[in-house]
Amino acid sequence: MSPRQRLAPDDRRAQLLAVGARLFAVHPYADVLMEDVAEEAGVSRALLYRHFPSKHALFAAVYQQAADQLLAETRLAPADSLVEQLIQGMDVHLDYFVANRNAVLAANRVLAGDPVIQTIMTNELDALRARLLTALLLVDESAREAVNGVLKSWLVFVQILCVDWLTHETCTRNQLRDVCIGSVIGALRPLLTEDPAPDWPRRGPGGDA
């Protein structure tokens, strides 16, 4: 048990979120107990419940924080090519998925259909879709509508594929990333007047040139 120390409310909440994130990352959702969170944080259960009234509330706050951080770290810089932007965004998310396997599986399997968790994931996917639309610099409104539909479906495809991969790693991490990138490039090409990624596909196993 960590030594007990007095913290301002915001600092205490941040500490509890950090402890919760660590425990949800290394243990299945069912194995994480609020008593364990309180003990590791060095606080009473009453104080923990004052900040988070349930394990579900704590997990939701942890996952919201993760979604916000992933969005902040996903660059999608206009100066980069589409492939470079997709690689950077996929790497950020895959790094999180691998490091927080149990939390990702909890959100997508154990809590599948939970309205709070689903809203967090939907909001992040919508934000990513909006950024990708901006990065593609589409002028034609009909093309924009078609591309928007493709991106919406593609993001769901990536989510499902990555969750399945976390359960059964049937390929390497880089192969998974390149499958995801190749699928959206292939889906976008028929809709655009210019090839969005003339340098794709990369040659060689695992995407090596």
Side-chain angles (χ1 to χ4, degrees):
M1 181 172 180
S2 302
R4 187 164 299 187
Q5 57 183 140
R6 296 184 64 85
L7 294 174
D10 287 348
D11 293 335
R12 178 65 73 192
R13 177 181 171 83
Q15 180 217 15
L16 295 173
L17 281 173
V19 171
R22 185 163 60 251
L23 292 178
F24 285 125
V26 299
H27 300 292
Y29 181 81
D31 293 346
V32 177
L33 304 177
M34 292 293 271
E35 294 92 323
D36 297 334
V37 178
E39 181 177 0
E40 184 161 331
V43 301
S44 66
R45 280 184 290 177
L47 179 56
L48 172 60
Y49 281 108
R50 202 176 306 155
H51 286 272
F52 302 103
S54 65
K55 180 169 75 170
H56 175 273
L58 175 60
F59 182 85
V62 165
Y63 216 71
Q64 181 65 69
Q65 184 180 67
D68 292 342
Q69 182 176 344
L70 288 171
L71 282 174
E73 293 178 0
T74 301
R75 212 170 43 240
L76 296 181
D80 295 337
S81 69
L82 178 62
V83 170
E84 288 171 331
Q85 295 179 66
L86 289 170
I87 288 174
Q88 192 273 337
M90 285 297 307
D91 280 343
V92 165
H93 282 75
L94 286 174
D95 286 347
Y96 174 79
F97 293 164
V98 170
N100 298 271
R101 181 186 305 265
N102 285 301
V104 175
L105 292 176
N108 288 274
R109 295 280 172 84
V110 181
L111 297 173
D114 179 90
V116 175
I117 304 303
Q118 291 303 312
T119 296
I120 293 170
M121 292 192 288
T122 298
N123 288 343
E124 192 209 350
L125 295 182
D126 285 347
L128 289 171
R129 176 162 48 95
R131 290 189 187 183
L132 284 168
L133 275 173
T134 300
L136 287 167
L137 301 174
L138 298 170
V139 177
D140 182 84
E141 189 58 35
S142 61
R144 182 181 180 84
E145 185 175 349
V147 168
N148 183 60
V150 166
L151 292 177
K152 184 175 183 178
S153 297
W154 175 70
L155 286 165
V156 174
F157 163 77
V158 169
Q159 180 183 17
I160 294 171
L161 187 61
C162 289
V163 170
D164 285 345
W165 179 79
L166 287 175
T167 307
H168 305 288
E169 294 186 21
T170 53
C171 61
T172 69
R173 178 192 177 284
N174 282 354
Q175 286 172 335
L176 173 67
R177 181 195 65 193
D178 288 356
V179 165
C180 293
I181 293 172
S183 65
V184 72
I185 290 173
L188 290 175
R189 277 180 171 144
L191 301 175
L192 304 175
T193 55
E194 293 185 15
D195 192 332
D199 54 341
W200 190 272
R202 299 184 298 176
R203 301 291 186 234
D208 294 332

